[in-house]
Amino acid sequence: MLNATSVLCRSGQRRTFSTLLAALLLAGTPPLLSAAGAHESARPQTYTVEMIDPPPYFRPSELNIRVGDTVKWHNAGPEGIHIVSETGQSIFSGDVSIGTEWRHTFTRAGEYEIICGRHFFMRSRLTVRNADGSIKPRYEFPYQSAFREFAVPTRDGLPRMIINNRIGDTMWFTIGGGDFYGFEGIPPQNKLAEVDRNGVFVEFATPTPSGDGSSVGVDSLVMDKFGNVWFTERIANQIGKLTPDGEMTEYPLATEGGYALGVDIDRNGNVWFAERYGNRIGWITPNGEITEVEMPEPDSEPRTVFVASTGLVWYTARAANEIGYYDPKAQTFHRIKIPTQIARPAGIAETSDGTIYFVEMVGNKIGKVVGGRVVEFALPTPFAAPFKIVADADDKLWFTEVFGNAIGHFDPETGKIREFKIPTEDSRPGGIALDDDGNVWFTEQKGNKVAYIDLPELERITGERLVASVHRRDEAAPAAAARPKQTIQAHQTHAYDSVDVSAGGRKAPAAAPAPQVVAPLSTQSGAVSGSIGCCESTEQADSDPPWRLTAIEFSVPTPGGFPGNALAEDERGRIWFPEMFGNKIGVLDSKTGIVEEIALPEPVSMPTSVALDGEGNLWIAEFRGNRLARLNTRSLALKEFDLPREAALPSSVIVDEGGTVWLTELGANRIAAFDPKTETFAEYALPRPESSPLGIASDGDGKLWVSLTNEEYGQVARFDTRTKKFVLFDLPQGADSASGILVDGSKVWLALGGSGEVAAYDTETGGWRRYALPGEGAAPFQIALDRNGLIWITDGGGFGTDGANQIVALDPVTGRSRKLAIPQPRSKPSGILIGSDGAIWFTKKGTNTLARVVLTTTQ
């Protein structure tokens, strides 16, 4: 998209820079202008409310607005810092300092009581009306009116797992907080809580010093027949017990850093637990005696335990990609491999006939264990990320979809799957349980709510029979029979939009497909492969290196996001990328295939390039926004910096060895240096007008190399950061345009879109070596160097061409290459990155995907 290289048009004509620039801007305009036009036609309004220290505190104190309008709260002081919130905690500004403001756009009608989160006596009323003047909330789906949601009193509590109260009419849940993947910006918590059907909460904190949950992280819980609540502390690696009288006891586990997660209870009152990083399961007796059992495979990451009616203790192992059980009598494990690769199994449930079901978070499926084998059922919504599952008294299964933002319902007899979307956007439901009337309760981790579905109401709206009660409490019954049939929840390292690698990102059919069966692990050799590649390397008669290429795809969640021209990898192996038309920054967990998106605050920013510094900051070039942005990858705090010159069109960004951030300014014919300490810019003009700088790379020794896209000049520039001077070098065949650029020691590599070549300039000899790319219409765009010395090239062309629609791996020593042909037309492979583990990642703008190349030797 952003290669304003004015590659030679196939008719032999050249585009001038001004023509290219206009075309480039127009190329990004249609989807963005259409959205702006729709917004204008709706005529949303912005209202200002002054927050002041003396009464009436909010001015005006009452306000009537419409759905889609924005309210801007300005702190006029003169002395107090205020927080904009409301009694239902649907909005929360954080601290608003004197002289600053915070704004919120209201998307749902209703009456809101606005309060100051620091001074509860400061109150005002806000009425949000629909277009027809009504104030009743409008739901996306009619059945959402059957949901009952209650905000958790602890701010950012991140409620995790939930169970039915066996001796009362309430539900119990954990308030565990964050500090795990996907919730890094939220601190851990150390609380348990009880809630009734009216949304009345009672909270209990663990006896942590200073009441601080940073060393605790309460996760999963179970109740014994006496009403004692047993729970896990993942960070402290302890088992806790809360009695009905409010007394709390903690039992440290032996394995340091074991990360205790899921729990369940057997008929003898023994509480079973899973230690994810301790690689163990174990049990604690009612008297506090602890026994641990090592898992059969190292680093298998057990996360959920479930005591079946047979007394067998089932578990799911995240890294081992298996479900299995431990027989306490025989003291043996039985392991069953899951057919879907990287399934990330999580919750477990059992129906009345003893059948075990479980969910695959990344596999995006429900699994059923049949005779030591696994049968799988794909979910209708791709990347829904099912997390926890529970069976009702009619043997129907209910489950949470973390990224589908829904509660699912599965009928094992018919194979039919229904999904009920949660009213709160991106609530990330976690634990799930049934109360004594069969209502489905669940936690909303990001929504910071506990909710239930009023099943009689849901049945009335949908016209389907869905109501079923769990086991009624029977004090005379043994503990095993009294236990509500539910999954005892476990920890999942979340992120934001899961990708089904085995399905190549394609949507699964609504009906359950033909089941897929796999034999137990003990009868297999090696791992089960379930990945479907997007493309495969093409044999070439003139070059036949001893390896072949395939690729696996990961969909970008936002339709038309258009992943941009650069990728960056952080210290945790996450892959960051810009979404040019999505106006977002995406991040992919390379281990789970799960994608998170962070929206940029200003519309039409059009991020094109990203780079990471040594402090965990992601730097973003906002092409249309004419800004440089800094995103902290841990806290997700974002700050933007306007460029000194209008219409500079920042295109590429890097961070040099000294921590200075450098940008190319395509429209201003300059490069810019940004000092993160002083937050100031310095600009340096190219020696020739309209050079159109695009790519930039550092040699690590004070010199920058800049690719120039004006093919009439046919040059590349070197900039000395000490002398602040440019030197220009002619390209090997003169009239050509350079886009991607790479420095490898004394070699400077360039992607030459006009000639369909890559070329290497030797700074020691002053000579060039050229390599023609295979394929008709080749127009290389970006390049990267792997640990084996291979040069990797994306060939999706720049503006006005799709190139040869391929990835090429070039051996610069032999000159031999292998291409990865992409079957989808106009895929526009663009940005490319070599990961720290050697994996090759690239973006495909045209198909809105990221892809990972898999290289295998053929000798």
Side-chain angles (χ1 to χ4, degrees):
M1 175 67 188
L2 286 186
N3 185 4
T5 56
S6 50
V7 295
L8 287 174
C9 299
R10 299 312 174 193
S11 62
Q13 298 177 347
R14 295 191 179 101
R15 289 185 172 89
T16 65
F17 171 72
S18 58
T19 304
L20 271 173
L21 186 55
L24 178 61
L25 290 172
L26 290 174
T29 298
L32 301 172
L33 282 185
S34 62
H39 188 261
E40 184 178 355
S41 65
R43 297 184 181 276
Q45 303 294 316
T46 298
Y47 298 86
T48 299
V49 174
E50 296 283 341
M51 294 187 292
I52 54 177
D53 298 343
Y57 307 121
F58 291 92
R59 192 167 50 203
S61 59
E62 292 191 12
L63 188 63
N64 276 273
I65 65 173
R66 290 177 178 260
V67 170
D69 288 345
T70 298
V71 178
K72 179 174 62 177
W73 284 270
H74 177 261
N75 186 355
E79 296 180 354
I81 298 173
H82 301 303
I83 295 173
V84 181
S85 186
E86 60 97 22
T87 52
Q89 296 196 46
S90 62
I91 63 174
F92 188 84
S93 67
D95 285 345
V96 181
S97 301
I98 298 170
T100 65
E101 63 186 35
W102 182 79
R103 61 179 63 202
H104 178 77
T105 299
F106 287 83
T107 59
R108 183 169 296 168
E111 291 185 310
Y112 298 83
E113 186 175 7
I114 304 299
I115 64 174
C116 172
R118 282 176 171 263
H119 313 98
F120 294 161
F121 54 85
M122 296 177 60
R123 294 174 179 256
S124 70
R125 182 165 296 279
L126 181 65
T127 302
V128 183
R129 300 184 182 276
N130 295 306
D132 61 3
S134 64
I135 61 173
K136 186 176 181 180
R138 300 269 176 87
Y139 294 104
E140 183 179 2
F141 304 98
Y143 61 70
Q144 290 179 327
S145 62
F147 282 73
R148 309 287 183 255
E149 298 177 292
F150 308 109
V152 173
T154 297
R155 182 71 194 171
D156 290 330
L158 211 156
R160 292 285 289 152
M161 308 304 158
I162 189 166
I163 60 171
N164 189 10
N165 186 347
R166 293 174 60 178
I167 63 172
D169 294 324
T170 59
M171 304 295 288
W172 283 84
F173 65 97
T174 56
I175 302 177
D179 196 31
F180 56 89
Y181 185 60
F183 295 99
E184 295 90 343
I186 300 175
Q189 291 284 354
N190 63 324
K191 295 181 180 179
L192 302 170
E194 188 179 14
V195 62
D196 67 16
R197 205 173 294 186
N198 295 314
V200 177
F201 293 85
V202 180
E203 294 183 337
F204 301 84
T206 63
T208 308
S210 304
D212 178 15
S214 62
S215 60
V216 183
V218 174
D219 194 85
S220 301
L221 74 170
V222 68
M223 180 180 284
D224 65 23
K225 63 181 180 181
F226 303 108
N228 297 309
V229 179
W230 296 80
F231 56 94
T232 56
E233 300 176 5
R234 64 179 188 272
I235 300 175
N237 200 38
Q238 298 183 136
I239 304 297
K241 183 179 75 170
L242 173 67
T243 69
D245 295 330
E247 181 181 348
M248 193 172 291
T249 307
E250 293 169 308
Y251 302 90
L253 298 179
T255 305
E256 185 177 356
Y259 214 77
L261 292 175
V263 289
D264 202 356
I265 191 167
D266 65 22
R267 66 186 62 192
N268 297 317
N270 298 311
V271 175
W272 289 79
F273 55 87
E275 289 182 84
R276 178 178 177 183
Y277 298 133
N279 201 44
R280 302 178 180 192
I281 64 172
W283 68 93
I284 179 171
T285 68
N287 296 325
E289 297 176 359
I290 298 172
T291 304
E292 296 178 303
V293 182
E294 187 78 19
M295 297 294 292
E297 180 178 323
D299 301 321
S300 58
E301 296 191 21
R303 56 182 311 147
T304 301
V305 288
F306 180 88
V307 181
S309 58
T310 59
L312 299 175
V313 182
W314 287 81
Y315 66 87
T316 52
R318 179 179 184 272
N321 204 48
E322 68 186 37
I323 183 171
Y325 62 82
Y326 177 74
D327 186 335
K329 293 182 179 180
Q331 298 183 12
T332 57
F333 283 90
H334 183 83
R335 308 167 64 192
I336 304 171
K337 193 72 174 181
I338 299 171
T340 298
Q341 192 176 25
I342 318 179
R344 298 296 190 248
I348 306 172
E350 179 186 13
T351 50
S352 61
D353 62 358
T355 302
I356 296 294
Y357 290 85
F358 67 98
V359 287
E360 303 173 14
M361 190 170 185
V362 175
N364 208 49
K365 298 171 183 175
I366 297 172
K368 175 182 178 181
V369 179
V370 181
R373 297 169 180 263
V374 172
V375 178
E376 295 178 308
F377 304 89
L379 299 189
T381 298
F383 327 137
F387 184 37
K388 294 298 171 184
I389 186 168
V390 62
D392 67 23
D394 284 347
D395 285 337
K396 305 301 188 293
L397 294 152
W398 296 84
F399 56 93
T400 53
E401 296 182 1
V402 177
F403 304 120
N405 200 43
I407 302 300
H409 179 269
F410 175 58
D411 187 336
E413 294 182 1
T414 64
K416 182 178 180 180
I417 297 175
R418 288 289 310 273
E419 295 169 310
F420 301 99
K421 299 292 184 180
I422 298 168
T424 298
E425 295 182 4
D426 192 24
S427 68
R428 304 204 195 147
I432 188 167
L434 304 176
D435 67 18
D436 287 333
D437 293 323
N439 295 308
V440 179
W441 286 76
F442 58 93
T443 60
E444 300 182 25
Q445 297 172 108
K446 188 175 181 183
N448 203 42
K449 299 175 182 177
V450 172
Y452 74 90
I453 304 176
D454 185 332
L455 286 185
E457 178 68 7
L458 181 65
E459 189 177 70
R460 184 190 67 78
I461 296 171
T462 62
E464 297 186 36
R465 186 182 184 280
L466 297 166
V467 177
S469 295
V470 295
H471 301 89
R472 292 288 180 177
R473 289 186 305 276
D474 184 357
E475 299 303 333
R483 177 175 59 83
K485 186 175 290 184
Q486 63 186 19
T487 300
I488 306 304
Q489 322 315 7
H491 168 80
Q492 163 70 33
T493 46
H494 294 299
Y496 302 83
D497 234 328
S498 66
V499 174
D500 184 353
V501 178
S502 66
R506 291 186 288 273
K507 187 173 183 178
Q516 189 177 15
V517 180
V518 63
L521 183 65
S522 59
T523 65
Q524 298 179 35
S525 60
V528 178
S529 176
S531 299
I532 298 176
C534 76
C535 25
E536 187 166 333
S537 60
T538 303
E539 300 292 337
Q540 299 178 60
D542 59 344
S543 61
D544 189 21
W547 30 264
R548 66 184 181 89
L549 312 176
T550 58
I552 299 171
E553 289 190 324
F554 302 84
S555 294
V556 173
T558 298
F562 217 66
N565 301 334
L567 299 153
E569 180 187 22
D570 66 18
E571 72 280 2
R572 298 172 56 184
R574 298 180 297 176
I575 308 299
W576 296 80
F577 59 94
E579 297 180 32
M580 294 168 60
F581 290 164
N583 209 53
K584 298 176 180 177
I585 300 300
V587 56
L588 167 72
D589 185 331
S590 59
K591 297 179 181 178
T592 66
I594 296 172
V595 176
E596 170 193 2
E597 293 177 311
I598 299 96
L600 294 177
E602 298 298 329
V604 202
S605 293
M606 201 175 181
T608 59
S609 179
V610 294
L612 275 162
D613 65 18
E615 298 179 357
N617 295 308
L618 186 77
W619 296 91
I620 306 156
E622 297 184 17
F623 184 77
R624 290 280 298 279
N626 208 51
R627 290 180 292 266
L628 172 68
R630 180 184 63 210
L631 174 68
N632 186 291
T633 59
R634 302 181 184 95
S635 67
L636 300 186
L638 186 139
K639 186 173 183 179
E640 295 176 305
F641 307 92
D642 292 330
L643 293 184
R645 199 171 304 274
E646 293 185 2
L649 303 182
S651 303
S652 297
V653 60
I654 64 168
V655 182
D656 70 14
E657 64 277 9
T660 300
V661 182
W662 293 88
L663 291 161
T664 55
E665 297 180 334
L666 188 71
N669 198 46
R670 286 167 165 77
I671 64 172
F674 180 79
D675 186 332
K677 295 180 180 179
T678 63
E679 298 186 350
T680 57
F681 286 95
E683 292 181 306
Y684 306 95
L686 270 298
R688 301 186 70 173
E690 296 187 354
S691 294
S692 309
L694 181 66
I696 187 168
S698 171
D699 69 357
D701 191 31
K703 294 182 178 59
L704 305 175
W705 290 82
V706 183
S707 63
L708 308 180
T709 64
N710 188 329
E711 80 286 348
E712 293 184 356
Y713 294 165
Q715 292 178 322
V716 62
R718 185 184 69 196
F719 179 75
D720 191 316
T721 61
R722 300 178 182 89
T723 65
K724 306 298 188 292
K725 295 184 180 298
F726 283 98
V727 177
L728 299 177
F729 299 85
D730 292 333
L731 297 180
Q733 66 173 36
D736 209 333
S737 57
S739 54
I741 189 165
L742 165 74
V743 180
D744 175 29
S746 63
K747 302 289 194 303
V748 180
W749 288 85
L750 292 168
L752 303 178
S755 60
E757 298 177 339
V758 293
Y761 177 71
D762 191 322
T763 59
E764 294 179 351
T765 66
W768 288 92
R769 184 173 179 184
R770 298 159 54 188
Y771 304 84
L773 266 62
E776 182 178 356
F781 185 57
Q782 297 285 21
I783 52 180
L785 174 71
D786 75 9
R787 59 178 63 174
N788 297 314
L790 297 178
I791 301 294
W792 292 82
I793 307 113
T794 55
D795 183 2
F799 177 75
T801 174
D802 292 320
N805 201 39
Q806 63 184 2
I807 301 294
V808 176
L810 169 70
D811 186 337
V813 177
T814 65
R816 300 162 74 189
S817 64
R818 177 63 55 87
K819 70 177 183 180
L820 176 66
I822 300 174
Q824 305 98 324
R826 296 178 295 280
S827 291
K828 291 195 72 66
S830 302
I832 191 163
L833 169 75
I834 310 300
S836 59
D837 60 355
I840 298 97
W841 296 88
F842 64 96
T843 62
K844 295 169 64 181
K845 294 177 181 174
T847 58
N848 203 42
T849 55
L850 272 70
R852 185 184 68 209
V853 176
V854 179
L855 183 150
T856 55
T857 60
T858 57
Q859 289 184 352

